[in-house]
Amino acid sequence: MRASVPERVEEGGSDALRDPLRSSGRPLVVDVDEVMVTGSTVPAGIASELSRRVLAVTTAMATAFGPEARSTHVVDRSGFDPSRAQFDRDAVTFLLQVLGEGRPVYLCSESYSEPFVSAVAQHLGVFTAWAAAPAGRSSTARSEDLPPVLRQGFDYIGGATIALPDFASRVARPGRSEPAAPAPAGVHSWLKLLRVHQYAKNALVLVPLLTAHKFTLGSAATSLLAAIAFSLCASGAYILNDILDIRADRAHPAKRNRPIASGAIPASQAAGAMALALAAAFAIALCISATFGGVLLGYLALTTSYSLRLKRIAIVDVVVLATLYTVRVIGGAVAINVPMSEWLLAFSLFIFMSLALVKRHIELASQPDGAVLAARGYQVDDKSMIAILAAASGFNAVVIFTLYISSDSVRALYSHPQLLWACCPILMYWIGRVMLFAQRGLIDDDPVMFALRDRASWVGLGAIGVIMLAAI
């Protein structure tokens, strides 16, 4: 099938007619906007640059196609993934035809960044070279600044507002392809956005109910409502994190499939869902008590600080994660109005610090040698130290549990506290197993979610539950 080609060109501002394919060797210069479909997925930082048309296309051609022409192998640090963008099929087919006629085809831009233009050029693979006007360059360029290959004359497909020299011809582009209408977000996308699969973590709110032996229907109902409030609040925090991290997520091999990053759910709709989730969470919290509402507010403030800044500070990030898990336990105690056990507080901090460190170790192990974990501040070489800290923190939690068994506090709750010693080998086995699996690369991402899917973890948890019941 023969591609459609322009029938009319404007040469040097005149009304002359010419078939550009008959001019053997005449270069064709194409603006990036002419090969991309309107509405194509680009990072927010790049999209904001599109409104700042301050650099002329001749500057780009003069700086990139001359003696100091750039290689197309420039690293794209913008987070833009061209494989997720939409390109005009008719325009690309036309450019392939022009290239097949033996004419050089150049890609240029007056507004996109250099890494962006390079990424597009490498992805399409139809361009002889590319050009982008660097920031800070003047928006005007003289004709004599252009390289000799363009001063002999060239055709241009791009914006009508660009002033071309007399020896250049403006070519009408082929018809633009229409972008496919986005499919409406399904239930699965919304559940994924809300991170419903993460709600199991909020079962930690029920821990004080069990450790305080407050087995009444009213307390159980209150604890369940508290868990729901934490789940909704966590969903709101997750959505905020996804909106803030949309650029980094699009560059991540797995996170690029998240609903906001992939475009399945618009950011505006996600923001509305975030507001509804947070409003429902605090409505439930205030129905329980104002004190519990304060704990939930503190949780939201800490997780928001984590999303905005703290997650980018090495070690601070894992301490904050451990604290966020522990706040759930504190919230459970406040909800049913029981004193927060210092032993439970210490055990929670250390065991969750261990799991947070394991998560970072898994992320580092998946990176190539010499890489830096994006937006985290860790290097791949840190994974050995992270593993040591994770093991130390996990076994410190076991030590705290043994000290609790020997304390006076345990005698007030258990008739046979000596049976609790049987829990220690199970805890030691489970912590060691998680560390071993993480080292072998058998845990994909979150060790908490791994434990929820792991049969051995459930058997261990069930055994501990039976032992604690027998000790009462």
Side-chain angles (χ1 to χ4, degrees), residues 159-397:
T161 60
I162 299 299
L164 298 177
D166 291 339
F167 48 76
S169 302
R170 193 182 307 277
V171 180
R173 67 178 311 285
R176 180 177 293 276
S177 301
E178 294 297 328
V187 175
H188 176 73
S189 296
W190 284 104
L191 294 178
K192 190 175 181 181
L193 176 70
L194 295 171
R195 303 281 217 288
V196 173
H197 63 284
Q198 299 276 9
Y199 283 4
K201 295 179 180 179
N202 296 304
L204 294 171
V205 176
L206 306 177
V207 170
L209 179 74
L210 303 177
T211 56
H213 301 170
K214 202 168 183 180
F215 305 122
T216 63
L217 184 60
S219 296
T222 300
S223 294
L224 182 59
L225 285 175
I228 294 174
F230 264 99
S231 297
L232 292 172
C233 185
S235 289
Y238 284 135
I239 295 173
L240 175 61
N241 182 75
D242 287 355
I243 293 174
L244 295 174
D245 282 356
I246 184 172
R247 183 170 168 176
D249 286 352
R250 283 173 175 166
H252 193 277
K255 295 179 180 179
R256 62 189 288 181
N257 296 318
R258 288 178 173 176
I260 299 177
S262 65
I265 297 178
S268 58
Q269 294 183 15
M274 176 186 68
L276 288 175
L278 292 177
F282 282 97
I284 295 173
L286 293 176
C287 288
I288 295 173
S289 71
T291 305
F292 177 75
V295 173
L296 192 64
L297 181 61
Y299 170 85
L300 178 61
L302 185 58
T303 192
T304 302
S305 300
Y306 174 82
S307 297
L308 292 173
R309 174 60 182 165
L310 299 180
K311 68 179 180 181
R312 296 175 175 83
I313 307 175
I315 303 301
V316 171
D317 63 328
V318 289
V319 173
V320 172
L321 284 177
T323 303
L324 288 172
Y325 281 117
T326 305
V327 169
R328 291 176 167 96
V329 180
I330 296 173
V334 171
I336 59 175
N337 197 26
V338 297
M340 180 64 191
S341 168
E342 295 179 357
W343 294 105
L344 180 58
L345 179 63
F347 178 84
S348 300
L349 281 171
F350 277 97
I351 194 67
F352 293 128
M353 178 71 173
S354 177
L355 294 177
L357 287 164
V358 169
K359 182 177 182 179
R360 289 292 174 263
H361 179 272
I362 295 168
E363 292 175 346
L364 289 170
S366 65
Q367 301 296 315
D369 292 340
V372 177
L373 192 59
R376 287 291 187 266
Y378 295 95
Q379 299 178 0
V380 172
D381 294 340
D382 297 333
K383 61 185 177 183
S384 297
M385 183 201 69
I386 295 298
I388 293 172
L389 291 176
S393 184
F395 282 93
N396 273 340

Side-chain angles (χ1 to χ4, degrees), residues 8 30 47 100 105-106 129 131 153-154 177 218 244 254 261 267 285 315 321 329 335 434 465 470:
R8 175 180 294 273
V30 183
V105 179
Y106 301 114
F154 64 89
S177 301
L244 295 174
I315 303 301
L321 284 177
V329 180
V434 169

Side-chain angles (χ1 to χ4, degrees), residues 25 49 66 157 163 285 334 340 351 419 422 444 460 466:
E49 293 182 7
I157 298 178
V334 171
M340 180 64 191
I351 194 67
L419 293 178
D444 295 332
V466 169

Side-chain angles (χ1 to χ4, degrees), residues 32-230:
V32 170
D33 284 334
E34 302 303 315
V35 297
M36 297 190 69
V37 173
T38 303
S40 184
T41 302
V42 295
I46 300 296
S48 64
E49 293 182 7
L50 299 182
S51 61
R52 299 196 297 267
R53 299 272 185 162
V54 295
L55 298 176
V57 67
T58 49
T59 303
M61 294 184 287
T63 56
F65 300 148
E68 298 180 355
R70 296 169 179 78
S71 167
T72 58
H73 299 289
V74 175
V75 178
D76 179 14
R77 298 183 177 87
S78 67
F80 170 65
D81 183 358
S83 67
R84 300 198 71 84
Q86 292 180 300
F87 296 94
D88 191 315
R89 295 185 300 273
D90 293 338
V92 175
T93 302
F94 168 67
L95 295 179
L96 284 169
Q97 184 179 2
V98 173
L99 196 66
E101 296 288 334
R103 299 175 57 189
V105 179
Y106 301 114
L107 182 68
C108 70
S109 178
E110 62 181 27
S111 54
Y112 287 92
S113 66
E114 294 181 356
F116 183 97
V117 179
S118 173
V120 171
Q122 293 182 68
H123 177 72
L124 294 178
V126 299
F127 298 102
T128 307
W130 63 270
R137 292 296 299 266
S138 171
S139 61
T140 60
R142 298 172 299 177
S143 298
E144 53 267 26
D145 292 333
L146 296 173
V149 67
L150 295 182
R151 289 204 298 269
Q152 299 300 317
F154 64 89
D155 292 335
Y156 173 74
I157 298 178
T161 60
I162 299 299
L164 298 177
D166 291 339
F167 48 76
S169 302
R170 193 182 307 277
V171 180
R173 67 178 311 285
R176 180 177 293 276
S177 301
E178 294 297 328
V187 175
H188 176 73
S189 296
W190 284 104
L191 294 178
K192 190 175 181 181
L193 176 70
L194 295 171
R195 303 281 217 288
V196 173
H197 63 284
Q198 299 276 9
Y199 283 4
K201 295 179 180 179
N202 296 304
L204 294 171
V205 176
L206 306 177
V207 170
L209 179 74
L210 303 177
T211 56
H213 301 170
K214 202 168 183 180
F215 305 122
T216 63
L217 184 60
S219 296
T222 300
S223 294
L224 182 59
L225 285 175
I228 294 174
F230 264 99

